[in-house]
Amino acid sequence: MRSHDYGRDVLSTPKRKKVPEITAEPGLVVEDPASGFCGAVVKFEYGQVVLEDRHGRQRLFALNPAGFLVDGKPVTLVKPMPRPQQPKITASGSVKVEGLRAQTAKASRIWVEGKHDAELVERVWGHDLRVEGIVVEPLHGVDELPQRIAEFGTAPHRRLGVLVDHLVAHSKEQRVVDEIRDDNVLVTGHPYVDIWQAVKPAAVKIKAWPVIPRGLDWKTGVCERLGWGETWEGWQRVLGSVSSYRDIESDLLGAVERLIDFVTVPQD
């Protein structure tokens, strides 16, 4: 007669119920059934797990199979897999280059109109410029720009990017820029009277930049209207409010990004 007529084979080994594996994430509450110690996962040391109970006491336990209880049921704790590191982002929004070594500056340059412009560009794009080996230099006005370009001596490997304040139609700045005829020079600009205005008002905790009458120094007028003291004090307030590209108006962002692309383009 066939064996199944007698029911289950009494000599067979019963199947063990599989104990679930649970990742021991920090904060998971488990119990050690041997000692009755109940606590939350805190960390791992020497291949063991550290539990902390509600009184702040910590104990070390081996990660044995079915060695713990969760909600009264046996589980096997598994150490979490290392999480991949997220790339660090620079103030300009680019991926930070770790372990950056100082390199010799390239022949190409970026010129900006003044010290404040240079400091703001450094605050946002400084890491990117060091990666590329590009130096930013203050120009101190655009009146002599054509002459300065001639003195610099441009070439395909020696390009110039120039950032101009208040570059709008029919302005003095626009007339100067229109005189430049050099394929190795790119001039970009923003519409603001001063680089301060390229910082979003919300970043410096004001509703809007004050309108300053013509004939009055713009920075002086702003500091008087806003009670910021001397202009150097006002600039420290403005610069200190900038932590990333999100604090900068899009007109300036686009202008500087185009300059960086221009002076770093590979040459055949």
Side-chain angles (χ1 to χ4, degrees):
M1 187 176 290
R2 291 175 297 180
S3 61
H4 65 259
D5 292 337
Y6 294 94
R8 185 177 63 84
D9 186 354
V10 295
L11 298 179
S12 65
T13 304
K15 291 184 179 180
R16 291 188 177 181
K17 197 171 184 180
K18 188 175 180 181
V19 175
E21 292 184 348
I22 294 183
T23 303
E25 298 285 357
L28 175 69
V29 177
V30 300
E31 180 183 349
D32 171 50
S35 65
F37 188 89
C38 184
V41 173
V42 176
K43 58 184 176 180
F44 294 88
E45 289 182 354
Y46 314 110
Q48 298 179 302
V49 63
V50 178
L51 302 182
E52 181 177 290
D53 69 7
R54 59 191 180 91
H55 302 293
R57 294 174 298 192
Q58 294 188 354
R59 287 184 60 180
L60 202 62
F61 295 94
L63 292 169
N64 294 325
F68 298 91
L69 300 178
V70 172
D71 296 330
K73 297 179 180 178
V75 299
T76 298
L77 291 187
V78 179
K79 189 175 179 180
M81 294 291 291
R83 294 178 181 173
Q85 283 191 337
Q86 295 297 319
K88 293 182 180 178
I89 304 300
T90 69
S92 69
S94 63
V95 176
K96 185 175 183 180
V97 177
E98 299 290 352
L100 176 64
R101 286 188 174 186
Q103 60 173 304
T104 303
K106 291 183 174 64
S108 297
R109 293 286 186 271
I110 290 178
W111 288 352
V112 296
E113 281 208 62
K115 179 173 177 286
H116 291 178
D117 303 64
E119 289 178 346
L120 186 58
V121 169
E122 165 63 26
R123 173 63 62 95
V124 180
W125 290 275
H127 178 81
D128 308 61
L129 293 166
R130 283 187 287 278
V131 168
E132 300 292 348
I134 299 298
V135 175
V136 175
E137 298 174 339
L139 180 60
H140 303 300
V142 297
D143 292 340
E144 299 180 358
L145 183 57
Q147 179 185 338
R148 291 286 307 277
I149 292 173
E151 293 170 354
F152 180 79
T154 60
H157 69 283
R158 187 175 170 81
R159 291 184 158 196
L160 270 178
V162 186
L163 180 69
V164 176
D165 296 341
H166 196 234
L167 189 60
V168 295
H170 311 300
S171 65
K172 175 195 72 174
E173 291 81 6
Q174 186 63 63
R175 289 193 295 272
V176 172
V177 169
D178 288 343
E179 296 177 21
I180 299 167
R181 300 285 189 274
D182 190 327
D183 292 339
N184 296 308
V185 177
L186 174 65
V187 181
T188 66
H190 56 76
Y192 309 111
V193 175
D194 191 278
I195 197 73
W196 291 26
Q197 278 187 298
V199 177
K200 292 179 179 178
V204 290
K205 297 179 173 55
I206 59 175
K207 290 184 178 180
W209 288 103
V211 176
I212 306 303
R214 297 186 69 175
L216 177 64
D217 177 71
W218 190 86
K219 288 189 279 284
T220 300
V222 166
C223 289
E224 288 177 355
R225 295 283 183 88
L226 298 177
W228 284 358
E230 300 294 329
T231 54
W232 66 267
E233 295 174 295
W235 173 239
Q236 291 305 309
R237 183 189 293 263
V238 173
L239 185 63
S241 70
V242 176
S243 60
S244 79
Y245 70 95
R246 295 183 179 87
D247 299 316
I248 302 297
E249 298 286 2
S250 60
D251 296 295
L252 179 63
L253 291 177
V256 176
E257 293 287 352
R258 290 196 299 276
L259 293 181
I260 294 175
D261 289 344
F262 180 76
V263 298
T264 58
V265 65
Q267 298 298 319
D268 297 330

